[in-house]
């Protein structure tokens, strides 16, 4: 049975209706006979709001506590999406990053993943469950919660796909794929069906917002096949491999 890791961005989960729509989309994938691990970002602009709150109480918030605060956004969306899956009659289980032991270094607010334990996720998948993991976070060996830097849920998804030896990692967002130019600015921009890791790295370092640069680096290193596509329709996006 093939295993797909799907990452859903914040705008795909911005309200209860969208969360329920994503739950239905995930059930559709499972019904096609696939095992699914979903990695989620925080709802809408939650992370910005949390950052803003922190700066209102202290212009220089301590980074350890900032990470505790920021990680809560993804915990909310992860729990809610799992509840929505249960509402559809599916068995699903939610995990925060620390709960699945995504171990990072101690560089708060820009931590790097060092190790991921896959045992628990594999056990739950084996039981037929959909596994939902909070993106953007992990914990140090001392069990302090860390975050991976803005946009870090992509990194969680690709690192998990590598650790689980998934067949595919889908980056689902409000962007339909990789374009030859920004379609908002250049109307003739074309969606590319497929590009290489190297080409994507060049585009991402030039500021293309489809996927986090470091996530592409990890995908290249471990040979994780990526598919960036829209969360809102079933159109094929761009394969990166
Ligand atoms: N919620 C975090 C951010 O907005 C992480 C992510 O979206 O990937 O940066
Ligand atoms: Mg976000």
């Amino acid at each position: 049975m093939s295993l797909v890791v799907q990452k859903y961005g914040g705008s795909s989960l911005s309200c209860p209706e969208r969360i329920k729509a994503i739950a239905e989309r995930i059930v559709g994938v499972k019904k096609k006979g696939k095992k699914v691990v979903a990695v989620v970002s925080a709802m809408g602009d939650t992370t910005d709001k949390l950052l803003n709150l922190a700066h209102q109480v202290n212009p220089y918030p301590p980074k350890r506590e900032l990470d505790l605060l920021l990680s809560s956004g993804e915990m909310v969306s992860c729990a809610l999406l799992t509840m929505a899956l249960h509402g559809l009659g599916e068995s699903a289980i939610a995990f925060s990053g620390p709960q699945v032991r995504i171990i990072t270094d101690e560089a708060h607010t820009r931590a790097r993943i060092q190790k991921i334990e896959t045992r628990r996720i594999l056990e739950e998948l084996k039981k037929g469950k959909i596994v939902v993991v909070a993106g953007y976070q992990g914990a140090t060996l001392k069990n302090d919660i860390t975050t991976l830097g803005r946009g870090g849920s992509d990194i969680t998804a690709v690192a998990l796909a590598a650790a689980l030896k998934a067949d595919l990692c889908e980056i689902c967002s409000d962007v339909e794929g990789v374009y030859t130019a920004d379609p908002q600015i250049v109307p003739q921009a074309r969606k590319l069906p497929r590009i290489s890791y190297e080409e994507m790295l060049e585009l991402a370092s030039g500021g293309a917002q489809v996927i986090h640069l470091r996530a592409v680096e990890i995908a290249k290193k471990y040979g994780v096949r990526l598919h960036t596509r829209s969360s809102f329709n079933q159109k094929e996006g761009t394969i990166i491999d």
Side-chain angles (χ1 to χ4, degrees):
M1 199 189 255
S2 73
L3 168 63
V4 54
V5 175
Q6 296 191 308
K7 180 258 173 173
Y8 289 101
S11 61
S12 312
L13 302 163
S14 56
C15 61
E17 288 67 35
R18 286 197 175 176
I19 291 176
K20 286 199 269 183
I22 296 300
E24 279 181 23
R25 185 186 172 93
I26 293 172
V27 173
V29 176
K30 170 127 193 275
K31 291 226 163 98
K32 284 191 185 141
K34 291 182 185 152
K35 290 183 184 167
V36 187
V37 174
V39 174
V40 293
S41 290
M43 293 172 69
D45 59 358
T46 300
T47 307
D48 292 324
K49 286 192 180 136
L50 291 172
L51 260 175
N52 186 281
L53 265 176
H55 287 99
Q56 284 184 54
V57 296
N58 183 340
Y60 304 102
K63 288 193 171 163
R64 181 184 175 281
E65 282 62 34
L66 194 56
D67 272 352
L68 185 61
L69 180 76
L70 295 181
S71 66
S72 69
E74 271 70 10
M75 293 189 199
V76 169
S77 52
C78 163
L80 289 175
L81 177 61
T82 306
M83 291 174 191
L85 286 163
H86 279 250
L88 296 173
E90 278 297 324
S91 54
I93 184 164
F95 292 111
S96 70
Q99 273 181 303
V100 278
R101 299 195 50 78
I102 294 177
I103 306 296
T104 73
D105 62 17
E106 296 183 5
H108 283 288
T109 73
R110 49 181 183 82
R112 291 215 175 211
I113 297 176
Q114 293 183 326
K115 190 171 170 271
I116 297 183
E117 272 181 30
T118 53
R119 190 180 47 86
R120 183 72 192 274
I121 296 178
L122 291 172
E123 266 173 32
E124 300 299 339
L125 287 172
K126 215 172 170 183
K127 290 183 206 159
K129 291 191 190 173
I130 292 165
V131 175
V132 186
V133 181
Y136 174 57
Q137 57 190 263
T140 66
L141 283 173
K142 283 192 266 175
N143 228 359
D144 285 326
I145 295 182
T146 51
T147 61
L148 309 179
R150 297 305 305 269
S153 299
D154 288 351
I155 299 171
T156 305
V158 177
L160 264 176
L164 295 163
K165 300 188 173 56
D167 301 278
L168 182 67
C169 180
E170 292 189 328
I171 305 293
C172 307
S173 69
D174 49 12
V175 187
E176 293 203 352
V178 182
Y179 283 76
T180 50
D182 185 341
Q184 311 264 36
I185 303 167
V186 184
Q188 316 87 291
R190 278 184 307 112
K191 186 166 72 187
L192 300 164
R194 188 169 177 180
I195 64 169
S196 67
Y197 295 124
E198 289 76 15
E199 288 167 315
M200 189 64 232
L201 283 170
E202 255 171 55
L203 286 175
S205 56
Q209 290 289 319
V210 193
I211 179 171
H212 198 292
L213 180 62
R214 219 156 84 219
V216 184
E217 288 170 352
I218 297 169
K220 183 181 174 206
K221 183 167 174 194
Y222 295 97
V224 176
R225 195 155 184 259
L226 301 173
H227 186 185
T228 63
R229 67 190 308 183
S230 166
S231 304
F232 304 115
N233 62 48
Q234 299 293 338
K235 285 187 213 160
E236 293 291 311
T238 303
I239 295 281
I240 307 164
D241 64 0

